[in-house]
Amino acid sequence: MTDDTFLDHVADRLAALPSVRAVTLGGSRAQGTASPDSDWDLALYYRGAFDPVGLRALADAHGWDGEVSGIGDWGGGVFNGGAWLTVDGRRVDVHYRDLDVVEHQLAESRRGRFHWEPLMFHLAGIPSYLVVAELALNRVLRGTLPRPAYPEALREGAPPVWRGRAAMTLRYATGAYVPRGQVTEVAGAVATAALETAHAVLAARGEWVTNEKRLLQRAGLRGVDAIVAGLRPDPGALAGAVAEAERLFGNAV
């Protein structure tokens, strides 16, 4: 199948599942930055109850190898589950999106409110407005969905929250890890604080974020690599590195 035929084939079948109201294409494929071997990131938006058993049966019927999670298996928050599949030789990620949750987070973002959630593979976790960012950036393949602009209230409300998290992360490292010369823990804290700061920078600009893959580049914070690379198990050196990170993050705009 060509890419277009493949996308129609998969979108039609996902859209036909019970409770599904829309299907989107996200990630690099939607934003025009994909390489030939990039994954295909699809999301199915459902209203009310959605049973992944239907998706598992669909995958089995069409020979789509992979794993299908239950609702809530990926943490139970806004990013509440999905599937990793291989379709016609292509790697396909399918994400579940509860429309009631998405609409609530859209309303919250317009009030400048959000909450933080842990998510595997994301060092700094994710903001609940990630699902709003997807509405703004993803390509709708089936159904209809809103296309929100970046709320001014979120531009004002999100940066101080993220910068506060970054400051606390480094403060804890200074008290708990630096005096003991614990390089790995300090490296983790600096990396986490860098990504938290990057979220603050992008929010202040009114730029949507859907993952951490290019977050440091976009925020102009790749200079943190040199700080992490220079860490050594000496309390004085570690204290200096944390102070250097604080200066870098404080100047990021």
Side-chain angles (χ1 to χ4, degrees), residues 165-182:
R165 292 185 68 89
M168 288 189 291
T169 299
L170 292 182
R171 190 177 306 126
Y172 185 84
T174 297
Y177 304 140
V178 167
R180 296 178 173 88
Q182 292 175 295

Side-chain angles (χ1 to χ4, degrees), residues 8-246:
D8 280 340
H9 172 76
V10 178
D12 282 343
R13 281 148 186 80
L14 293 179
L17 291 171
S19 303
V20 173
R21 298 292 181 267
V23 177
T24 66
L25 173 68
S28 60
R29 296 282 181 182
Q31 298 174 37
T33 59
S35 61
D37 61 348
S38 292
D39 293 351
W40 294 79
D41 295 309
L42 300 175
L44 53 84
Y45 289 77
Y46 62 89
R47 179 78 70 185
F50 171 73
D51 190 346
V53 169
L55 176 58
R56 188 173 291 110
L58 173 67
D60 290 343
H62 291 275
W64 299 352
D65 294 331
E67 300 179 16
V68 177
S69 83
I71 297 292
D73 284 359
W74 291 2
V78 296
F79 215 106
N80 68 344
W84 293 307
L85 303 170
T86 300
V87 180
D88 191 45
R90 298 167 171 88
R91 296 190 308 274
V92 178
D93 295 342
V94 179
H95 300 151
Y96 308 152
R97 292 292 178 263
D98 185 330
L99 275 168
D100 291 338
V101 171
V102 171
E103 289 167 355
H104 173 72
Q105 294 306 329
L106 175 57
E108 287 288 276
S109 72
R110 287 170 172 165
R111 297 181 179 93
R113 299 198 297 249
F114 73 100
H115 66 267
W116 172 90
E117 295 181 2
L119 183 65
M120 188 165 296
F121 316 127
H122 290 67
L123 293 180
I126 61 169
S128 54
Y129 57 79
L130 178 145
V131 294
V132 184
E134 291 175 336
L135 291 178
L137 299 175
N138 288 5
R139 173 183 160 196
V140 178
L141 303 175
R142 300 292 183 274
T144 58
L145 292 168
R147 180 75 70 178
Y150 205 103
E152 189 61 32
L154 194 62
R155 292 186 65 172
E156 296 176 1
V161 174
W162 283 114
R163 287 193 180 272
R165 292 185 68 89
M168 288 189 291
T169 299
L170 292 182
R171 190 177 306 126
Y172 185 84
T174 297
Y177 304 140
V178 167
R180 296 178 173 88
Q182 292 175 295
V183 173
T184 299
E185 290 86 340
V186 171
V190 169
T192 299
L195 289 158
E196 290 166 338
T197 302
H199 272 291
V201 170
L202 272 294
R205 293 179 189 169
E207 296 182 18
W208 293 113
V209 173
T210 57
N211 59 56
E212 294 181 342
K213 292 177 182 177
R214 296 180 179 85
L215 187 50
L216 292 180
Q217 291 96 315
R218 291 174 63 190
L221 287 171
R222 276 266 67 109
V224 74
D225 292 341
I227 298 174
V228 173
L231 295 177
R232 53 192 175 87
D234 172 77
L238 292 177
V242 171
E244 186 180 355
E246 288 174 334

